[in-house]
Amino acid sequence: MRVTRDRADLSDEGAITVAWCITSLPADRAGAKELGDLARGHWGIENRLHWVRDVVYREDASTIRTGNAPRVMATLRNTAIGLLRIDGATNIAAALRTCAWSLVALLAVLKL
């Protein structure tokens, strides 16, 4: 399957990239709609979790790079994001600020 992405950035300069994908789905389940849904579903995960980790937690700028520490920190960040989402947060950055400012809010998220 060929996926063409047309992306624009804040400087109004964009980029078009092409990716080729392989699937193990049988032909009767690998129609254009099904494959498109799978590709969009993947980007939904990217946008919902990885973007939050990159932007809110500035994970790409982290200086934690040795041993198990990067994996441990990613797990802690994912756990925090998951707990906030379970609690109903739609804006993770705002929810983190609220928990940082208010012990009551933090304990409510942790169900304590």
Side-chain angles (χ1 to χ4, degrees):
M1 164 176 86
R2 177 183 169 169
V3 177
T4 303
R5 297 183 193 106
D6 187 357
R7 181 179 64 92
D9 59 24
L10 295 177
S11 66
D12 290 331
E13 293 181 19
I16 295 175
T17 59
V18 175
W20 292 94
C21 305
I22 298 172
T23 182
S24 61
L25 289 174
D28 63 322
R29 293 186 47 216
K33 181 185 180 327
E34 290 83 6
L35 293 176
D37 289 346
L38 288 172
R40 282 186 294 282
H42 168 76
W43 286 107
I45 294 168
E46 174 69 24
N47 291 336
R48 191 160 168 87
L49 178 61
H50 298 281
W51 183 87
V52 170
R53 284 176 35 192
D54 290 343
V55 174
V56 174
Y57 286 109
R58 299 196 52 197
E59 192 171 66
D60 289 344
S62 175
T63 58
I64 300 169
R65 303 202 189 286
T66 60
N68 289 325
R71 183 172 292 148
V72 170
M73 289 306 298
T75 301
L76 291 171
R77 291 175 183 126
N78 288 343
T79 301
I81 292 166
L83 288 170
L84 292 169
R85 293 234 189 262
I86 289 169
D87 195 52
T90 56
N91 183 330
I92 298 300
L96 285 171
R97 285 190 299 271
T98 300
C99 288
W101 294 332
S102 169
L103 180 60
V104 173
L106 175 61
L107 293 175
V109 168
L110 295 174
K111 309 287 189 243
L112 297 175

